[in-house]
Amino acid sequence: MKTVNALIVSIFLSWSTAHLSLLAQTAASAELEVEVHDKATNRMTPSRVYLLDDQGTLQVPEGAVSYEKYQEHHFVTRGHFRLALSPGRYRLRVERGPEYRMWSNTVELAAHQHKLQRVELERWIDMNGQGWWSADLHNHRRIEEMPDLLLAEDLNLAPTLSDWIWEEKAISRPPQTEEAVRQVTPHHVYSVLDKEVERLRHGPGAVDLLALQTPIPFDGNWLFPPSDRFCQLAHDQGGYVDAEKILWRDVAALVALGHVDFAGIVHNHFNRHGVEVDTEGWGMIPKYRPEFNTKAGMPLWAMDVYYKFLNCGFRLPVSAGSASGVKAAPLGYNRVYAKLDTSFSYANWFAALKAGRNFATNGPMLFLKVNSREPGDTLRFPRAATLRIEAEALSDVPLDRLEVLFKGQVVKSIRSHDDGKRLKLRLRLTAQESGWVAARCFEPIGTTIRFAHTSPVYVQVGQDKGVVADDARFFLDWIDREMNFYRTEERFRKPEHRTAMLEFFASARNVYEELARSVPERTEAR
């Protein structure tokens, strides 16, 4: 009898819930219909939508891909949606990646009203039309969401880190498929077997293994094996390794031993809601200047480490990633633009990135030429030569400054004095020694900081190696600090695991020792 009564109560509660839901829908007697159009073509276009009521609650149409993570609350649309809403005021904001101007409005809905809202999104720049193609290299979104997300964000390419190791546990596993790369349109593509090995705090750091054709197993724990094993397995199958932050404790060793393809400069501590300045608890290297603990200084920290790698002769293209799916950022907030001289494809895009024909950004567009050559190229001279440098920064919002660097030193900087959205500079520079030229730009600091950085144009003068001994010694200190840390680390499961980690760092130390010894005295003066 008790079982029958319980069944009756269960049926009644189910009916009541459904009835109340129906009443709530009836009470929501207004309806909002939205069409999002590309202003140039008048066609409906996918986009990212923020539709918030007066309490800041996201309103989502049925079936839409939505994302609510910390301060970030949005959904994506294929160009048209409608939903029932209670009468009242709503804030509507529509975006489609950084190449379109944001659209926003306040929508008032009266009882029983049907309102059709037309949204027109306007491009302020067409990067594909100029041969540049975008990607977000740090992506934790669900595989089934990717077609809608790529189109809504106007993002050409994204690896999907479906295989994610956190500390020593599998947070997610790759799909059972032989189709590693999936095409959405001829200009939108994603991959599904990519892997992140993320072992933070006392672990070695995080590496993203991209463009994988087959899954890479994780046969280890928090401290073993060193990350070079996973990097080698990725390279063995034609994949790439992104040091998604070049600040993890093992990056100096990985770079020295040739395991890193891309250097994370515009990384996931930058999002549209702010800058995560706290880093020591995650296991990154210490901040060696006070300014690095500020919003303005956080980008300079990664840049400074990057410059020291370049000054040791390592050719590393810049990279970017948002960690959407984990962080308060939409997919493509941080992105890399690579320039292709051939047709767009997944393989061609990664080949261009590996060649260094790119820049990384979370807002501005940035272009650089040195003697008419672009990032990734090498200029060779038998002796000291004049460099003719042109740099240009463009944004849909006012810029703060544009800077050109030679071997990590700012050789020219210009600021915007009239809220200009375009900055352009030209200069001539005499290169007495081998080195590299890069450009960077910044928007004014607000809630967050938006900036861009190019990969270098390399300069070879005679037989000079261009190595800066002080920077090689910086990495020697880095390696020594980590070796001392792991000598006393108590979490190794076996003595041979500690030995393997120390041998990994010791091999890298030999590289930096040789670099420091190889530098003639005159090269150290900058």
Side-chain angles (χ1 to χ4, degrees):
M1 189 65 180
K2 289 182 179 179
T3 303
V4 174
N5 289 339
L7 180 60
I8 293 172
V9 169
S10 176
I11 294 171
F12 176 76
L13 289 175
S14 298
W15 176 86
S16 298
T17 301
H19 186 63
L20 289 172
S21 176
L22 181 61
L23 288 175
Q25 292 177 28
T26 305
S29 55
E31 184 180 63
L32 176 64
E33 182 177 3
V34 177
E35 292 182 356
V36 183
H37 293 259
D38 185 305
K39 187 174 181 179
T41 65
N42 200 33
R43 295 175 182 168
M44 282 195 288
T45 187
S47 59
R48 173 176 13 105
V49 179
Y50 302 81
L51 179 60
L52 306 175
D53 64 18
D54 282 340
Q55 286 71 48
T57 302
L58 179 69
Q59 308 297 308
V60 182
E62 184 177 356
V65 174
S66 63
Y67 187 69
E68 298 196 62
K69 187 71 69 172
Y70 307 110
Q71 309 100 311
E72 183 67 20
H73 307 278
H74 69 257
F75 64 87
V76 301
T77 176
R78 297 178 182 178
H80 171 267
F81 65 89
R82 67 171 68 199
L83 73 168
L85 295 168
S86 298
R89 176 181 297 180
Y90 296 85
R91 288 169 288 161
L92 177 61
R93 175 173 175 151
V94 185
E95 301 184 18
R96 191 173 190 241
E99 297 178 37
Y100 282 81
R101 293 190 169 95
M102 179 271 294
W103 184 98
S104 66
N105 194 17
T106 299
V107 178
E108 297 272 3
L109 290 175
H112 309 296
Q113 180 185 14
H114 172 270
K115 184 177 182 66
L116 175 62
Q117 177 68 66
R118 179 184 173 92
V119 174
E120 290 189 341
L121 293 180
E122 182 180 13
R123 275 192 183 274
W124 66 271
I125 192 167
D126 182 0
M127 293 296 286
N128 287 178
Q130 299 181 45
W132 293 87
W133 303 83
S134 60
D136 184 337
L137 297 186
H138 195 170
N139 165 34
H140 287 283
R141 301 300 293 268
R142 296 166 60 189
I143 290 173
E144 57 267 28
E145 298 176 344
M146 290 304 298
D148 283 328
L149 293 175
L150 288 176
L151 297 176
E153 300 297 346
D154 191 32
L155 185 70
N156 300 118
L157 183 149
T160 305
L161 298 168
S162 62
D163 188 0
W164 181 19
I165 301 298
W166 171 260
E167 296 174 351
E168 53 189 37
K169 299 176 181 177
I171 301 298
S172 59
R173 299 184 184 278
Q176 299 294 315
T177 179
E178 296 180 358
E179 187 185 21
V181 177
R182 299 179 181 179
Q183 198 87 25
V184 180
T185 76
H187 294 160
H188 301 88
V189 62
Y190 63 104
S191 51
V192 299
L193 298 178
D194 312 283
K195 185 183 191 79
E196 180 170 30
V197 180
E198 194 166 15
R199 298 177 291 173
L200 309 186
R201 289 180 283 177
H202 55 268
V207 289
D208 291 350
L209 314 176
L210 310 178
L212 301 183
Q213 299 302 308
T214 59
I216 292 177
F218 177 76
D219 52 348
N221 55 58
W222 209 331
L223 293 172
F224 180 83
S227 294
D228 60 335
R229 175 182 295 185
F230 307 111
C231 298
Q232 188 60 57
L233 290 171
H235 285 151
D236 287 347
Q237 59 173 275
Y240 301 92
V241 177
D242 181 28
E244 54 92 24
K245 296 183 193 67
I246 57 169
L247 307 162
W248 296 120
R249 63 171 74 248
D250 71 344
V251 172
L254 291 173
V255 170
L257 300 176
H259 292 299
V260 172
D261 297 296
F262 318 126
I265 297 294
V266 189
H267 55 72
N268 62 27
H269 276 235
F270 306 102
N271 62 62
R272 67 199 305 270
H273 303 282
V275 178
E276 296 179 44
V277 177
D278 178 35
T279 56
E280 290 185 9
W282 293 105
M284 298 181 206
I285 64 169
K287 293 189 173 107
Y288 46 92
R289 294 181 193 165
E291 66 180 304
F292 295 159
N293 280 306
T294 66
K295 282 183 187 179
M298 270 291 286
L300 302 179
W301 180 32
M303 291 175 189
D304 194 67
V305 171
Y306 176 58
Y307 302 156
K308 294 179 189 302
F309 280 127
L310 295 177
N311 286 342
C312 286
F314 301 111
R315 296 197 170 195
L316 293 172
V318 293
S319 71
S322 308
S324 186
V326 176
K327 297 290 189 178
L331 182 68
Y333 176 77
N334 300 329
R335 59 178 67 191
V336 186
Y337 280 90
K339 190 172 187 181
L340 275 64
D341 296 325
T342 184
S343 59
F344 172 78
S345 72
Y346 188 91
N348 289 346
W349 189 92
F350 267 105
L353 180 63
K354 178 63 176 175
R357 304 186 183 283
N358 72 297
F359 67 92
T361 182
N362 59 11
M365 303 298 157
L366 185 59
F367 308 97
L368 172 69
K369 288 186 178 180
V370 182
N371 292 16
S372 300
R373 306 290 287 275
E374 295 184 288
D377 288 336
T378 300
L379 296 167
R380 303 182 186 278
F381 305 101
R383 61 189 66 85
T386 298
L387 305 178
R388 301 182 307 278
I389 303 170
E390 301 177 22
E392 183 177 26
L394 300 169
S395 180
D396 188 42
V397 300
L399 289 158
D400 177 56
R401 69 189 189 276
L402 168 64
E403 297 176 331
V404 167
L405 305 99
F406 182 70
K407 298 189 77 168
Q409 306 300 308
V410 176
V411 293
K412 188 166 184 178
S413 178
I414 59 171
R415 289 188 174 270
S416 175
H417 298 292
D418 56 355
D419 292 333
K421 299 179 180 180
R422 176 184 181 187
L423 291 175
K424 190 170 186 177
L425 64 77
R426 292 185 176 89
L427 74 147
R428 289 177 177 264
L429 177 71
T430 301
Q432 301 282 356
E433 58 183 343
S434 297
W436 51 271
V437 177
R440 67 188 188 189
C441 67
F442 301 84
E443 295 174 6
I445 299 172
T447 302
T448 189
I449 184 166
R450 291 169 27 124
F451 61 99
H453 202 295
T454 69
S455 287
V457 175
Y458 299 96
V459 179
Q460 179 67 48
V461 178
Q463 298 302 310
D464 177 45
K465 294 182 179 180
V467 174
V468 177
D470 281 348
D471 292 337
R473 286 190 282 269
F474 171 86
F475 291 116
L476 281 172
D477 291 342
W478 179 332
I479 296 290
D480 288 343
R481 180 180 63 245
E482 300 311 324
M483 292 184 72
N484 288 334
F485 176 83
Y486 284 120
R487 283 190 183 101
T488 59
E489 173 56 54
E490 298 178 350
R491 297 174 181 85
F492 285 104
R493 295 183 179 178
K494 298 179 180 180
E496 52 265 38
H497 292 179
R498 185 194 312 276
T499 300
M501 185 71 83
L502 291 174
E503 288 177 347
F504 162 65
F505 279 102
S507 297
R509 195 182 196 286
N510 293 336
V511 174
Y512 293 113
E513 277 188 327
E514 181 60 31
L515 286 171
R517 284 197 300 264
S518 70
V519 182
E521 241 179 77
R522 64 177 181 81
T523 309
E524 294 189 49
R526 287 192 287 163

